[in-house]
Amino acid sequence: MAMASDVLARSFGKEAFGLDPQNYHTARPAYPELVWDALRNRAGLRRGISILEIGAGTGLATERLLEDRPHRLLAVEPDRRLARFLRGRLDKEELEVVETPFEKLKVPEKSFDLVVSATAFHWIDAAPALRRIHRLLRAGGTVALFWNVFGDGVRPDPFHRATAHLFSGHRTSPSGGGTTKTPYGLDVGARLGELAEAGFTADEPELIDWTLTLDPPAVRRLYATYSNVTALPADERERLLSGLEKVAETEFAGVVTRNMTTSVYTGRRE
């Protein structure tokens, strides 16, 4: 297991994913439909509300949130390259994209009905962030945090095992992916504890198991979006991606199946 000093700094998340926004957008998998059902049923996602999205990236979640016709969606994205891409891709009157870290966002308290963060909240110090989210929500408002987690400790993942040696000595993400510790998004006790400490009434988390099938070029494109890969020098990054693609071709006959778990946490401001 990686020691704390081997984990990428949370501040790196503000610049880790903007190297190739188009590749990030096409390579990252969509969220299962059950996520949006959960947000409608448990988090008040509906027409006419005001939403704040933290760490919007290229808009994988933003686009789906807009489908429910909110009155306002304020998407916060600290990486200028991602924010520019998102702004150009989703030209909607109700969408405002702000290039700033959430910690520096200036908005009045009690401004939102729903605050969302999709596979991004592990880059933020959760305790103060959740306390601030509580203040930003109107009475009865909801926070929804969800993650697409690549692999878990229960279901065997042959491709992960076959390629683990390629990542030896590399720093890891705060998400905990690819390590022996419980991934951040699957650490149910910790996430529920943080919600309760911030004053939220949390629902039972929803954990959705599914599989992602990739050909060798798709493996390369996906892993190129991982923070622990983008943190590498260019030549080392290319060697790693070529190694992953070769394993997919030679050891998996061109068909790689990754185990996925999508976790959804929702909590209400009573």
Side-chain angles (χ1 to χ4, degrees):
M1 182 170 65
M3 302 299 290
S5 60
D6 298 325
V7 178
L8 292 165
R10 284 199 180 106
S11 59
F12 182 62
K14 297 175 176 61
E15 60 183 71
F17 305 105
L19 188 65
D20 187 346
Q22 181 63 59
N23 180 67
Y24 186 96
H25 187 72
T26 56
R28 286 277 176 142
Y31 294 95
E33 198 61 35
L34 287 173
V35 170
W36 310 109
D37 292 341
L39 264 62
R40 293 184 191 105
N41 295 332
R42 296 161 41 176
L45 176 60
R46 64 194 184 278
R47 186 186 183 101
I49 64 172
S50 293
I51 303 174
L52 170 65
E53 183 185 3
I54 300 171
T58 63
L60 289 170
T62 317
E63 187 167 13
R64 292 302 307 268
L65 292 168
L66 288 168
E67 289 180 7
D68 281 79
R69 303 296 301 276
H71 169 70
R72 179 195 188 198
L73 200 170
L74 180 62
V76 178
E77 173 49 55
D79 190 310
R80 182 179 297 106
R81 299 162 297 181
L82 295 177
R84 186 184 304 120
F85 181 88
L86 173 57
R87 206 178 277 119
R89 198 176 70 80
L90 296 176
D91 184 15
K92 299 285 186 180
E93 183 180 355
E94 61 270 32
L95 175 64
E96 180 184 357
V97 182
V98 179
E99 297 173 19
T100 187
F102 170 65
E103 298 89 338
K104 296 183 178 180
L105 177 67
K106 293 181 176 11
V107 287
E109 295 185 0
K110 299 180 181 179
S111 295
F112 301 98
D113 304 292
L114 173 62
V115 176
V116 170
S117 186
T119 315
F121 207 68
H122 52 278
W123 293 106
I124 300 175
D125 190 354
L130 284 168
R131 288 194 294 270
R132 185 174 189 216
I133 289 169
H134 193 277
R135 297 192 300 270
L136 292 177
L137 284 167
R138 299 175 178 128
T142 308
V143 60
L145 311 175
F146 49 99
W147 283 266
N148 271 345
V149 180
F150 295 84
D152 62 46
V154 178
R155 292 177 293 160
D157 193 324
F159 187 75
H160 173 69
R161 290 201 301 265
T163 56
H165 67 283
L166 297 174
F167 293 88
S168 179
H170 294 181
R171 288 178 293 171
T172 60
S173 165
S175 69
T179 67
T180 57
K181 68 178 183 179
T182 302
Y184 189 97
L186 301 183
D187 194 344
V188 172
R191 304 291 76 80
L192 291 180
E194 290 161 353
L195 285 167
E197 185 180 336
F200 288 99
T201 301
D203 299 302
E204 186 70 21
E206 185 154 353
L207 302 178
I208 306 161
D209 293 335
W210 54 290
T211 56
L212 177 65
T213 302
L214 305 163
D215 63 15
V219 167
R220 183 187 190 96
R221 291 192 297 270
L222 176 62
Y223 277 78
T225 70
Y226 288 7
S227 58
N228 59 333
V229 176
T230 65
L232 297 171
D235 56 345
E236 191 174 349
R237 182 168 64 244
E238 286 305 306
R239 283 196 299 272
L240 172 62
L241 294 172
S242 295
L244 289 163
E245 193 171 10
K246 183 177 180 181
V247 170
E249 290 171 348
T250 59
E251 299 183 34
F252 289 82
V255 181
V256 169
T257 300
R258 292 300 320 268
N259 292 332
M260 301 288 296
T261 304
T262 299
S263 57
V264 185
Y265 301 86
T266 52
R268 286 178 305 285
R269 183 188 190 278
E270 302 296 355

